Amino acid sequence: MKAENLVLKIINQILIIMNLFSKSLSVLAIVFIVSCSKDDPTPATTVTDKDGNVYETVTIGEQVWMAENLRTTQYNDGTPITAIINLNEWATQSAGAFTSYANAEGNMDAFGALYNWYAVNSNKLCPTGWHMPSSVEWKEMENYLIANGYNFDGSTDGDKTSTSKVAKALATSSGWSNSTVPGSVGNSDYPEYQNKSGFSALPGGYRYHDGTFNYAVFTGYWWTTSGQFTGGSLGLGEVSISSATLTAIYNNGLAIGYHNVNPRIGASCRCVKD
């Protein structure tokens, strides 16, 4: 009898242990299932500036760019950027400043702000984790587009000085002045290539270093952090000393232009992710 009781006790202990083990396995299984059911984090497709403006982004090759022109009125540390309306004040400003095209608030919404290069050179213009691109980074984007069939004719050769034809693939389908040049931004031909990259370039024009405005709907200009880049003269106040580089896309153009200009010029800005 004692032996039978002992056997029953042993069996009971074994059952208790097995029950506990089974419950532990169930808990582990639930944890595993829940953890596996969670989706991987989705990469951010927007970025927000210090003003709270939210921008769409686009991945081109290994770079992530803003797909809209910057329109912040503050540096990323919260310091206000000086807004200048007066022509003479703009012409003599040697610190960071911004404006909207023709000083019209509606143009700020449509095209973004126009910043002088001193604001760009602050290294605080873009949201944290983003930066203003160099001309090399612009060229990297252009080369990627050329190599991957974004020339309007589908060719995969060319460079900024000869046969690059990617401007149409970078520009929006509206807002640009018409052009009769085949494959150009302002021509309605090759519609499948218009803004194929998703970069959504806009013809925001620029503010000349004397404070006047020009070329909205005809040209978009974007600052880089570079200077002393070789470029032709297009009446943009280009100088060989104390100059900064901007890029340009024209309504009648095929490629990205690169120009050394007076740092007091007001141009659009696009940020690229660090």
Side-chain angles (χ1 to χ4, degrees):
M1 191 70 177
K2 289 182 178 180
E4 290 178 357
N5 288 338
L6 180 60
V7 170
L8 288 173
K9 286 182 179 180
I10 292 172
I11 292 173
N12 188 50
Q13 290 296 321
I14 291 172
L15 290 173
I16 291 172
I17 292 171
M18 290 179 66
N19 186 46
L20 290 173
F21 183 71
S22 176
K23 288 181 178 179
S24 297
L25 286 177
S26 298
V27 171
L28 288 172
I30 291 170
V31 171
F32 179 77
I33 291 169
V34 170
S35 64
C36 289
S37 66
K38 291 181 179 179
D39 294 331
D40 291 333
T42 302
T45 56
T46 61
V47 60
T48 305
D49 67 24
K50 201 67 176 178
D51 283 349
N53 298 311
V54 180
Y55 304 86
E56 296 293 327
T57 67
V58 61
T59 300
I60 301 176
E62 296 183 356
Q63 300 170 311
V64 181
W65 291 79
M66 281 185 174
E68 304 175 48
N69 289 343
L70 193 66
R71 53 187 183 275
T72 186
T73 63
Q74 301 178 72
Y75 294 113
N76 60 25
D77 63 358
T79 303
I81 307 170
T82 302
I84 297 180
I85 295 176
N86 183 272
L87 270 69
N88 291 331
E89 287 184 28
W90 185 270
T92 57
Q93 180 74 354
S94 58
F98 80 96
T99 186
S100 58
Y101 189 88
N103 295 315
E105 186 175 346
N107 286 331
M108 184 86 155
D109 296 330
F111 298 120
L114 300 176
Y115 302 90
N116 64 17
W117 192 75
Y118 302 110
V120 173
N121 199 41
S122 70
N123 295 319
K124 298 185 294 183
L125 191 57
C126 293
T128 302
W130 293 69
H131 63 274
M132 283 294 298
S134 66
S135 58
V136 173
E137 288 173 295
W138 271 88
K139 187 59 186 171
E140 178 184 340
M141 174 178 66
E142 185 177 19
N143 283 337
Y144 172 85
L145 294 175
I146 293 168
N148 287 275
Y150 286 80
N151 279 341
F152 77 85
D153 59 1
S155 61
T156 56
D157 59 349
D159 59 46
K160 71 177 180 61
T161 58
S162 56
T163 56
S164 172
K165 305 168 187 175
V166 300
K168 181 181 283 287
L170 288 165
T172 56
S173 59
S174 61
W176 294 84
S177 180
N178 293 334
S179 168
T180 59
V181 177
S184 64
V185 171
N187 196 318
S188 60
D189 60 354
Y190 303 96
E192 68 276 17
Y193 281 90
Q194 196 81 48
N195 202 30
K196 184 178 179 180
S197 69
F199 187 80
S200 302
L202 294 166
Y206 74 97
R207 188 170 195 175
Y208 199 54
H209 59 78
D210 66 1
T212 57
F213 296 90
N214 211 341
Y215 292 116
V217 310
F218 289 96
T219 310
Y221 299 94
W222 294 269
W223 277 122
T224 78
T225 57
S226 306
Q228 304 300 315
F229 194 93
T230 302
S233 176
L234 291 173
L236 297 177
E238 294 178 341
V239 289
S240 59
I241 300 174
S242 299
S243 61
T245 303
L246 55 69
T247 60
I249 294 177
Y250 306 93
N251 72 307
N252 59 357
L254 305 181
I256 299 173
Y258 298 79
H259 308 287
N260 270 358
V261 299
N262 189 303
R264 288 191 174 93
I265 279 180
S268 301
C269 289
R270 290 290 180 99
C271 301
V272 65
K273 194 172 184 180
D274 293 349

